[in-house]
Amino acid sequence: MFLYPIVDWDYLQQKNISFSQVSATLYKTNFYQLRIKNQTIEKIKEIIKKTKQEFPDVKIILNDYLELCFYSNGVHLGVEDLEQNKEEFHQLLKAPFVFAPNIEEWKTKSQFLIGVSTHNYEQFEFLYKTYNQYIGYLAIGPCFPTTTKDSQYPVVSEKEFNKIFSFVKKNQIQKSLVFIGGIQKENLKILYDRVYSFFQGTKTNFYYASISGFLQNQIPLKFDFTL
């Protein structure tokens, strides 16, 4: 399992964290999600420009803001965002991009990455069946309680995880899976055990998303287990 780093602009400001404090991690992951809320479009463009200057060879996944997708290397959407902006999303699918099939290939090729958060089996199944040829990863969560991001959804139960995992195995899904929500150093092994016990012997690409743990250098770049 590998770190999926999220640079939350508000969190950086609140905690007075500079980009230089996380630069070593970003150069190793070679990508990050840039999450910006409550800013004007022009301000967001300015921030994206600044981050590109800081890390010219590190790919950016922009959280939301479909209208700014050409300023980034990928976009991450919540399932609700996709539903509310379906027309804009379908316009993106018509853009002259090569859409990455997973994070691993995207990191090494000139492709565009689309990721979507899901919170239960029904959402996961629907998004995969509907947008399989475009989406590069599907996020699942919240895995644990979190205060970093408000969510209308409860923590995903073990039963719900197993339904999703069974669907992934049955369909031999090669998309990357990103686990989101409340993941810290202290509970990472709980997530690892849950995933490993189900997928042992299966080559699936797993990532764990982190905001606070990553930005405070309190979570590892990689959590090993043997497939």
Side-chain angles (χ1 to χ4, degrees):
M1 298 176 75
F2 301 93
L3 174 65
Y4 176 111
I6 301 177
V7 175
D8 185 293
W9 189 254
D10 288 342
Y11 193 90
L12 285 180
Q13 312 310 307
Q14 291 167 9
K15 301 294 183 180
N16 196 29
I17 299 171
S18 68
F19 271 112
S20 61
Q21 290 173 254
V22 297
S23 61
T25 298
L26 294 184
Y27 279 123
K28 289 176 181 175
T29 59
N30 289 322
F31 80 95
Y32 63 98
Q33 183 192 123
L34 183 59
R35 185 171 181 265
I36 309 170
K37 302 292 182 181
N38 307 313
Q39 299 287 347
T40 65
I41 293 297
E42 289 307 312
K43 178 62 177 178
I44 294 169
K45 288 180 182 178
E46 181 183 319
I47 294 170
I48 294 172
K49 182 179 179 181
K50 179 181 179 181
T51 60
K52 283 184 174 180
Q53 290 172 343
E54 290 271 356
F55 309 107
D57 299 317
V58 180
K59 290 190 172 185
I60 300 173
I61 301 168
L62 188 61
N63 186 285
D64 299 336
Y65 301 105
L66 283 167
E67 65 270 40
L68 297 179
C69 65
F70 287 94
Y71 291 84
S72 66
N73 308 104
V75 65
H76 176 88
L77 300 168
V79 64
E80 306 86 359
D81 303 315
L82 192 154
E83 288 300 310
Q84 293 169 9
N85 300 281
K86 191 172 289 185
E87 184 176 339
E88 291 88 343
F89 183 66
H90 286 174
Q91 287 301 314
L92 167 62
L93 302 185
K94 297 175 183 177
F97 292 136
V98 175
F99 294 99
N102 51 52
I103 293 174
E104 292 68 37
E105 185 170 317
W106 168 74
K107 287 170 69 175
T108 62
K109 296 184 178 181
S110 181
Q111 299 176 337
F112 191 84
L113 182 69
I114 297 176
V116 184
S117 293
T118 67
H119 308 287
N120 53 53
Y121 170 76
E122 286 73 20
Q123 291 177 353
F124 190 99
E125 179 189 37
F126 169 77
L127 285 167
Y128 178 76
K129 288 185 174 179
T130 308
Y131 300 111
N132 173 39
Q133 67 188 100
Y134 303 105
I135 290 177
Y137 73 84
L138 286 157
I140 309 165
C143 296
F144 304 101
T146 176
T147 57
T148 307
K149 182 180 179 181
D150 294 332
S151 176
Q152 68 188 67
Y153 294 97
V155 171
V156 180
S157 68
E158 185 172 353
K159 180 180 179 181
E160 201 73 9
F161 266 120
N162 287 341
K163 286 174 68 176
I164 294 171
F165 290 168
S166 295
F167 180 77
V168 170
K169 261 192 169 180
K170 179 181 177 181
N171 292 278
Q172 300 181 325
I173 293 174
Q174 300 300 306
K175 305 296 178 187
S176 301
L177 300 184
V178 179
F179 299 100
I180 60 175
I183 299 170
Q184 302 291 341
K185 183 179 179 181
E186 295 74 22
N187 58 30
L188 188 53
K189 190 174 186 305
I190 297 173
L191 175 64
Y192 152 75
D193 287 341
R194 175 183 291 160
V195 175
Y196 178 60
S197 64
F198 200 98
F199 284 101
Q200 187 173 8
T202 304
K203 292 184 178 180
T204 303
N205 309 308
F206 303 112
Y207 290 80
Y208 46 91
S210 176
I211 297 176
S212 60
F214 149 63
L215 291 175
Q216 297 187 64
N217 293 306
Q218 294 176 348
I219 200 164
L221 278 164
K222 183 179 181 181
F223 201 94
D224 281 320
F225 62 83
T226 304
L227 289 173

